[in-house]
Amino acid sequence: MMQAVCVDVPGGPENLLLRSVPRPQPKDGEVLIKVHATALNRADLLQRRGLYPPPPGESDIIGLEVAGTVDTLGPGVKRGWKPDDRVMALLCGGGYAEYVAVPEQLLMHVPPNLTLCQAAAIPEAWLTAFQLLVFVAQVKEGEVVLAHAGASGVGTAAVQLVRLFGAVPVVTAGSPEKLKMAESLGAAAGFNYKEESFAQGVHDFTGGKGANVILDCVGGSNWEQNVSSLAVDGRWVLYGTMGGRAVEGDLLGKLLSKRGHLLCSLLRSRSLQYKADLVEAFSQTVLPHFSEQGSFLKPVIDSTFNLESIAEAHGHMEANKNTGKIVINVIPQETQ
């Protein structure tokens, strides 16, 4: 058996219950991870409310990423993983627990200079940002990339990746402190969407040319400013709808006049092969930069909570208080 966070009735953070459930057994090609830490994602809040169920056949325990150590290997594991290897992994679910079974293709080695707590902040946010920039937008050197929610987990990863790829990151965020954090990571400009028009900010920054790529987790409420911010032939990448799904007005006409590309992407519902290719590409091109001397890549951690305080952690994210990732220590840090 193991401890895990369960949701019997969809609802608020108070509906998250810690209890004993059967420990998963690794199937063919899977590795059982002893979880040291997991991290929160917006999708977790939606799943808790019953709005984002796991894909068919996946664990109904919340949690899309973990870091920990290899416990046992299932039959048919081919990639040379060994017990006690320090690993981090992308999941379809099951992260809020003491153990999780993961297809071996979705495991990554933890960079030697990072703690397991830091590593837990990497898989979902960094793989999402990498996917959006490389697989979807195909960002090029010198392009301007506008990232909304620039102080979020995905936002802080995107700023650093855009810099790594030789492009120029600009961000929106809702407070001066969040903008300052994004700028410390390499954002060339930041706009407080609560106090100013980010479209005007992008226009001024680019000399009227606009952003070549927009990473948008907001959706509906931003559409007019997004189209206004977009460069001719620009790529607007939608990966969330925190600002609503409904759109009223001349979206298609305005997008057409810019010859704009509207690209939509999710990660959780992708095939195992797609995720394996993503993990492989990230491991080859980005992961080494976390441990290089003088490298500027780092996971940004807002706060840490123990598993018993998971409801408090969810409340912290729902209040939009976090800058960077909220990490949950499944094993208290002093014993890691």
Side-chain angles (χ1 to χ4, degrees):
M1 300 296 283
M2 66 173 183
Q3 291 291 105
V5 175
C6 302
V7 180
D8 292 338
V9 181
E14 67 279 1
N15 289 24
L16 295 164
L17 309 170
L18 187 61
R19 67 161 173 256
S20 190
V21 300
R23 185 187 297 186
Q25 298 299 314
K27 301 190 195 77
D28 191 62
E30 289 187 340
V31 173
L32 186 69
I33 299 174
K34 181 178 175 62
V35 178
H36 286 239
T38 183
L40 266 59
N41 292 282
R42 289 274 165 188
D44 301 354
L45 311 186
L46 294 174
Q47 184 172 337
R48 190 201 69 224
R49 289 159 53 198
L51 302 175
Y52 192 40
E58 300 293 346
S59 171
D60 57 7
I61 296 170
I62 298 174
L64 298 176
E65 58 194 335
V66 294
T69 53
V70 172
D71 184 80
T72 50
L73 306 176
V77 169
K78 303 184 182 75
R79 298 192 171 204
W81 300 107
K82 301 185 300 295
D84 298 325
D85 279 350
R86 292 182 350 128
V87 294
M88 52 190 180
L90 182 69
L91 312 174
C92 285
Y96 291 12
E98 291 181 312
Y99 293 87
V100 65
V102 188
E104 64 169 335
Q105 305 99 302
L106 303 187
L107 266 63
M108 296 173 278
H109 286 288
V110 173
N113 55 315
L114 296 184
T115 67
L116 291 172
C117 177
Q118 289 174 307
I122 292 177
E124 179 71 20
W126 283 79
L127 285 166
T128 294
F130 180 77
Q131 175 207 16
L132 298 176
L133 289 166
V134 178
F135 282 31
V136 181
Q138 298 179 357
V139 69
K140 299 174 185 65
E141 193 172 338
E143 289 190 320
V144 174
V145 178
L146 171 62
H148 291 308
S152 66
V154 174
T156 54
V159 167
Q160 297 176 71
L161 287 172
V162 169
R163 279 287 182 207
L164 181 67
F165 301 146
V168 182
V170 298
V171 302
T172 65
S175 74
E177 295 75 24
K178 290 184 175 185
L179 290 174
K180 194 172 178 183
M181 162 59 78
E183 287 167 6
S184 75
L185 295 171
F191 314 110
N192 186 336
Y193 65 84
K194 292 181 180 176
E195 297 182 353
E196 62 184 316
S197 161
F198 69 78
Q200 186 62 50
V202 170
H203 184 275
D204 293 345
F205 178 81
T206 60
K209 291 180 179 176
N212 305 100
V213 175
I214 299 175
L215 302 186
D216 181 21
C217 56
V218 178
S221 62
N222 269 1
W223 81 259
E224 285 186 282
Q225 287 199 71
N226 275 334
V227 176
S228 178
S229 302
L230 196 65
V232 173
D233 295 318
R235 290 93 75 202
W236 169 14
V237 181
L238 181 70
Y239 69 101
T241 53
M242 286 166 50
R245 299 179 176 193
V247 169
E248 290 183 19
D250 185 23
L251 167 61
L252 295 179
K254 285 183 162 62
L255 194 60
L256 183 62
S257 70
K258 290 276 183 91
R259 300 197 303 264
H261 303 245
L262 177 56
L263 304 163
C264 302
S265 187
L266 295 170
L267 182 51
R268 189 184 195 182
S269 57
R270 299 277 190 177
S271 68
L272 175 58
Q273 186 59 57
Y274 180 98
K275 292 177 185 174
D277 292 344
L278 181 67
V279 167
E280 179 69 20
F282 180 83
S283 298
Q284 295 290 333
T285 58
V286 176
L287 209 49
H289 292 280
F290 281 96
S291 47
E292 276 186 355
Q293 196 69 32
S295 172
F296 56 83
L297 294 193
K298 61 175 184 178
V300 177
I301 295 175
D302 170 83
S303 50
T304 57
F305 294 82
N306 287 335
L307 198 57
E308 296 76 15
S309 304
I310 189 69
E312 188 184 343
H314 271 232
H316 186 67
M317 179 174 266
E318 285 193 320
N320 283 327
K321 290 180 179 174
N322 59 301
T323 299
K325 294 286 286 188
I326 300 167
V327 173
I328 307 299
N329 285 313
V330 177
I331 297 176
Q333 273 187 296
E334 60 272 13
T335 60
Q336 284 190 20

